[in-house]
């Protein structure tokens, strides 16, 4: 039967999602926000993967200063306006002539998010984020209730916290790698001391005191709603994947870039890692899965369609996993036929208790239909038949919509998928410059080179990325597609052109080319596996 922890989760989809991936990923969370949230957690633990708690910063005064004139958000006409006494204190802390310059400088650091139509996302001033040029610009998302601002976690854990836990598991047996990642992030986020001084001046004008005791927990011995939680099987089942995440992050951090230049690469890496995690966890039986990437930017229809099919196959993985978990949940809730026969009169007498037991308390539109169907059930077969079908229909659209949207968002924001409105195959795997750069920097050491075909094999073996003829044949994509081999050769040539365009390829002849990492190593030592 259901546990107390499961009963406390009142959203059906969240229960299933938590069982598969953890507690929890949110469909509204964007790629850069995963990275920012992770950095907030790491900073809040004083750059330690061993800590069980992290401190959260509100930075309300800083946000007010930067985003004055921004409205409260969609559906609101209220505009953020500083109070006169706040302005007077600002002019005392910062010379009046410098206020506008500083405000404009910091405002230009906003991480602007866009929707699928290319329009800027409508975010409230307290939900907008900044590029973390320094740790002083890190702060957590807030929510507004009336006039009060509180921490925003939607009553559940968020993706950046889960990513922190994945890296904690992935570095548990590798102390040197863990230490490097911790120290390198500290170095990147504390380098710009001038930013820190400016922020200190601004925040001092608002008489704002951070709640030093406000620490959010990262680990708990019991299942609690506000504590992030990976599935209990994940540390063992996904151990190799988590270790790969740490190796990839270590490799990316080893190049000599500042945090501003590094941020987009981190976004591509983290999004790709989370997508791989979600796909790996979605497998009901262990098997290989591949990412066939369209490097021809949609100009070749067969390649376009093949990359769309690849994306669709991953979505079907998630749908099948949810169906599997749904069946398990129904068996768990209903029990045996004898138990159903015993419970059915009680459920019919108190249908709200049944709805609560199912975790459907927040359902609106179809709740009464389920209750009506329950009232007409007279046997266990009615419950496992038409009642279960009605529950599946009631939740499946919502369930698939929200969970599929998670992978669509991280794939698009990570730069390895494209959305085309009006197309029968809306999503397909593609390759942005940032994503391509990230692949090179995680595979090729700083100032070193790798033969082009070896690079293709490396990203195929480690990531399941299929580009050219060899990978298509080895993965079975070629046989399944029934395409002429020249299509895969054209796709491979297009990737070669993209590498050259990004300064990541040296060609000696048509047959010989080397993928290069042109950056020098960071000032900290790094070990490669």
């Amino acid at each position: 039967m259901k546990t107390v922890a499961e009963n406390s989760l009142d959203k059906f989809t969240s229960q299933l999602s938590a069982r598969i991936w953890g507690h929890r990923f949110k469909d509204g969370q964007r790629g850069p926000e995963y990275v920012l949230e992770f950095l907030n957690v790491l900073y809040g633990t004083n750059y330690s993967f061993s800590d069980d708690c992290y401190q959260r910063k509100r930075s309300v005064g800083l946000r007010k200063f930067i985003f004055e004139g921004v409205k409260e958000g969609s559906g609101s006409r209220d505009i953020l306006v500083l109070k006169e006494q706040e302005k007077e204190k600002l002019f005392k802390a910062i010379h009046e002539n410098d206020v506008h310059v500083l405000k404009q400088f910091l405002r230009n650091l906003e991480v602007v998010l866009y929707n699928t139509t290319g329009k800027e996302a409508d975010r409230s001033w307290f939900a907008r984020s900044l590029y973390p040029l320094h740790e002083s610009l890190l702060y957590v998302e807030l929510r507004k209730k009336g006039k009060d601002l509180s921490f925003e976690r939607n009553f559940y854990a968020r993706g950046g916290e889960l990513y922190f836990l994945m890296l904690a598991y992935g570095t548990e047996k590798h102390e040197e790698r863990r230490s490097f990642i911790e120290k390198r992030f500290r170095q990147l986020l504390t380098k710009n001391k001038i930013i820190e001084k400016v922020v200190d001046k601004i925040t001092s004008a608002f008489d704002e005191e951070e709640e030093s005791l406000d620490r959010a927990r990262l680990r708990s011995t019991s299942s609690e709603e506000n504590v992030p939680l990976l599935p209990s099987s994940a540390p063992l089942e996904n151990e190799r994947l988590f270790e790969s995440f740490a190796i990839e992050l270590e490799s990316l951090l080893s190049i000599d870039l500042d945090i501003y230049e590094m941020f987009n690469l981190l976004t591509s890496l983290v999004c790709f890692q989370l997508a791989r995690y979600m796909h790996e966890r979605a497998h009901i039986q262990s098997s290989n899965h591949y990412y066939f990437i369209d490097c021809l930017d949609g100009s070749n229809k067969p390649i376009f369609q093949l990359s769309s099919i690849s994306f669709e196959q991953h979505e079907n993985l998630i749908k099948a996993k949810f169906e599997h978990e749904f069946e398990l949940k129904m068996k768990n809730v209903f029990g045996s036929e004898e138990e159903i026969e015993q419970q059915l009169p009680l459920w019919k007498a108190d249908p709200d208790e049944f709805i609560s037991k199912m975790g459907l308390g927040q359902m609106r539109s179809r709740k009464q239909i389920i209750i009506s169907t329950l009232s007409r059930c007279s046997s266990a077969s009615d419950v496992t038949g038409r009642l279960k079908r009605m529950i599946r229909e009631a939740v499946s659209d919502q369930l698939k919509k929200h969970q599929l949207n998670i992978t669509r968002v991280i794939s698009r924001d990570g730069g390895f998928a494209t959305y085309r409105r009006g197309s029968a195959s809306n999503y397909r795997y593609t390759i942005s410059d940032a994503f391509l750069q990230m692949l090179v920097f995680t595979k090729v050491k700083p100032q070193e080179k790798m033969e082009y075909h070896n690079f293709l094999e490396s990203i195929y073996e480690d990531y399941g990325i299929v580009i050219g003829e060899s990978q298509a044949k080895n993965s079975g994509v070629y046989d399944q597609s029934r395409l002429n081999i020249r299509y895969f050769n054209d796709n491979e040539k297009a990737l070669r052109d993209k590498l050259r365009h990004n300064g990541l390829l040296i060609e000696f002849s048509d047959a010989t080319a080397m993928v290069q990492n042109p950056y020098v190593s960071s000032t900290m030592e790094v070990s490669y596996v």
Side-chain angles (χ1 to χ4, degrees):
M1 304 301 285
K2 288 177 67 180
T3 65
V4 173
E6 285 178 310
N7 272 319
S8 67
L9 304 177
D10 200 31
K11 289 189 178 180
F12 194 95
T13 55
S14 294
Q15 294 173 21
L16 294 188
S17 178
R19 287 170 61 90
I20 302 169
W21 294 308
H23 190 207
R24 73 170 174 155
F25 293 103
K26 188 180 183 307
D27 65 315
Q29 196 167 10
R30 302 294 300 273
E33 291 174 312
Y34 284 102
V35 178
L36 288 168
E37 191 170 71
F38 162 69
L39 294 178
N40 265 289
V41 176
L42 189 60
Y43 161 72
T45 62
N46 195 26
Y47 303 95
S48 171
F49 285 110
S50 303
D51 273 23
D52 293 329
C53 300
Y54 74 101
Q55 186 173 335
R56 297 177 293 181
K57 279 200 313 179
R58 293 172 180 262
S59 298
V60 176
L62 177 65
R63 297 192 224 200
K64 284 183 175 181
F65 172 76
I66 298 171
F67 299 113
E68 183 183 15
V70 175
K71 67 176 184 176
E72 296 286 4
S74 58
S76 174
R77 296 181 180 179
D78 294 336
I79 301 294
L80 173 62
V81 179
L82 292 180
K83 298 175 182 177
E84 286 302 318
Q85 57 266 39
E86 290 175 330
K87 290 181 180 180
E88 289 176 9
K89 289 180 180 179
L90 268 172
F91 294 152
K92 289 180 181 178
I94 307 168
H95 194 281
E96 187 171 349
N97 294 334
D98 295 334
V99 168
H100 176 73
V101 175
L102 284 176
K103 187 189 293 279
Q104 193 61 44
F105 169 73
L106 292 171
R107 185 65 183 274
N108 288 337
L109 293 180
E110 181 184 353
V111 179
V112 181
L113 303 175
Y114 298 92
N115 57 30
T116 54
T117 64
K119 293 182 179 179
E120 184 177 336
D122 190 7
R123 294 293 181 103
S124 304
W125 65 266
F126 47 82
R128 299 188 177 214
S129 301
L130 304 172
Y131 282 100
L133 291 194
H134 187 269
E135 63 185 20
S136 60
L137 297 179
L138 286 169
Y139 48 71
V140 297
E141 187 177 347
L142 297 176
R143 67 181 306 177
K144 195 171 185 180
K145 285 186 176 180
K147 294 184 178 180
D148 297 325
L149 290 168
S150 61
F151 288 112
E152 170 62 87
R153 294 178 83 184
N154 285 315
F155 314 110
Y156 296 94
R158 300 285 294 269
E161 294 172 316
L162 294 181
Y163 182 67
F164 174 92
L165 294 179
M166 292 177 199
L167 287 178
Y169 285 122
T171 56
E172 210 165 34
K173 299 177 181 177
H174 307 276
E175 292 184 12
E176 287 187 14
R177 182 169 297 124
R178 172 178 283 197
S179 178
F180 171 80
I181 293 172
E182 292 169 343
K183 290 177 180 177
R184 179 67 172 130
F185 271 120
R186 184 191 294 272
Q187 181 189 55
L188 286 167
L189 293 170
T190 57
K191 186 177 180 180
N192 295 306
K193 301 294 185 184
I194 296 175
I195 297 286
E196 183 179 25
K197 292 178 181 178
V198 169
V199 171
D200 285 345
K201 283 185 178 181
I202 294 169
T203 53
S204 67
F206 287 89
D207 297 326
E208 184 181 12
E209 292 184 8
E210 292 287 351
E211 297 179 30
S212 58
L213 297 179
D214 185 80
R215 293 177 64 81
R217 280 188 292 168
L218 288 163
R219 298 173 177 88
S220 175
T221 53
S222 59
S223 298
E224 299 177 46
E225 290 184 359
N226 285 328
V227 179
L229 183 68
L230 289 172
S232 58
S233 60
L236 183 61
E237 290 180 355
N238 306 110
E239 180 180 14
R240 289 183 62 186
L241 186 66
F242 294 161
E243 289 181 349
S244 296
F245 288 178
I247 292 170
E248 293 154 18
L249 181 59
E250 179 187 36
S251 299
L252 184 59
L253 292 174
S254 72
I255 60 177
D256 188 20
L257 288 177
D258 63 27
I259 189 62
Y260 185 81
E261 295 173 296
M262 183 73 75
F263 188 82
N264 287 335
L265 297 173
L266 281 170
T267 300
S268 284
L269 176 63
V270 172
C271 286
F272 187 46
Q273 290 177 336
L274 293 179
R276 286 154 56 204
Y277 167 75
M278 298 184 86
H279 293 147
E280 183 170 301
R281 293 286 304 173
H283 276 285
I284 298 171
Q285 295 180 335
S286 179
S287 60
N288 294 324
H289 60 279
Y290 302 102
Y291 301 85
F292 179 75
I293 293 182
D294 174 9
C295 299
L296 289 158
D297 301 326
S299 63
N300 184 298
K301 188 175 180 180
I303 294 295
F304 175 103
Q305 291 175 330
L306 199 55
S307 64
S308 297
I309 291 170
S310 182
F311 197 98
E312 185 179 2
Q313 287 172 341
H314 283 118
E315 293 204 324
N316 288 337
L317 267 181
I318 293 171
K319 291 177 184 177
K321 184 66 173 180
F322 268 111
E323 289 293 331
H324 178 73
E325 289 297 328
F326 178 86
E327 291 296 327
L328 292 177
K329 181 178 175 64
M330 291 300 98
K331 288 181 182 179
N332 193 31
V333 172
F334 291 156
S336 65
E337 285 195 12
E338 291 78 10
E339 288 175 314
I340 294 174
E341 296 288 357
Q342 292 174 1
Q343 294 292 316
L344 184 55
L346 301 176
W347 293 343
K348 293 172 73 171
D350 188 357
D352 285 336
E353 173 61 26
F354 174 77
I355 291 293
S356 176
K357 181 182 181 68
M358 291 298 302
L360 299 172
Q362 293 189 7
M363 177 173 282
R364 295 290 179 264
S365 60
R366 298 204 187 184
K367 186 189 296 185
Q368 290 305 315
I369 299 176
I370 293 173
I371 291 174
S372 176
T373 305
L374 173 63
S375 68
R376 296 194 299 273
C377 290
S378 57
S379 65
S381 61
D382 288 342
V383 171
T384 57
R386 61 183 179 181
L387 180 60
K388 187 172 80 170
R389 284 196 300 273
M390 183 57 64
I391 294 171
R392 179 189 282 112
E393 288 173 12
V395 302
S396 63
D397 289 344
Q398 176 191 15
L399 177 144
K400 291 169 184 174
K401 173 186 174 184
H402 289 304
Q403 302 308 321
L404 293 180
N405 199 41
I406 294 172
T407 51
R408 289 176 179 181
V409 167
I410 60 177
S411 300
R412 196 172 67 242
D413 288 356
F416 55 97
T418 299
Y419 171 84
R420 178 178 289 186
R421 184 174 291 277
S423 169
S425 305
N426 285 339
Y427 284 88
R428 73 184 194 281
Y429 287 122
T430 55
I431 193 159
S432 68
D433 287 346
F435 184 72
L436 180 58
Q437 291 163 16
M438 179 276 293
L439 289 179
V440 171
F441 301 151
T442 57
K443 289 298 163 198
V444 185
K445 299 177 186 179
Q447 291 197 307
E448 293 196 9
K449 300 175 181 65
M450 179 184 291
E451 200 276 327
Y452 177 60
H453 290 95
N454 289 343
F455 173 73
L456 292 182
E457 281 301 305
S458 179
I459 61 175
Y460 168 70
E461 292 291 338
D462 295 343
Y463 299 145
I465 291 176
V466 175
I467 301 291
E469 175 184 346
S470 175
Q471 300 81 45
K473 287 181 175 178
N474 292 337
S475 64
V477 170
Y478 171 67
D479 289 335
Q480 293 168 12
S481 70
R482 298 182 179 180
L483 293 179
N484 188 296
I485 203 67
R486 68 179 175 83
Y487 288 111
F488 297 101
N489 291 331
D490 288 345
N491 199 47
E492 184 178 312
K493 182 178 182 299
L495 180 67
R496 187 162 162 161
D497 292 340
K498 286 179 183 291
L499 285 164
R500 188 192 312 109
H501 176 75
N502 279 274
L504 301 172
L505 190 80
I506 300 175
E507 293 179 293
F508 298 99
S509 66
D510 289 343
T512 307
M514 304 292 286
V515 178
Q516 66 169 351
N517 181 342
Y519 287 99
V520 299
S521 296
S522 68
T523 54
M524 298 179 61
E525 292 183 358
V526 59
S527 60
Y528 278 83
V529 172

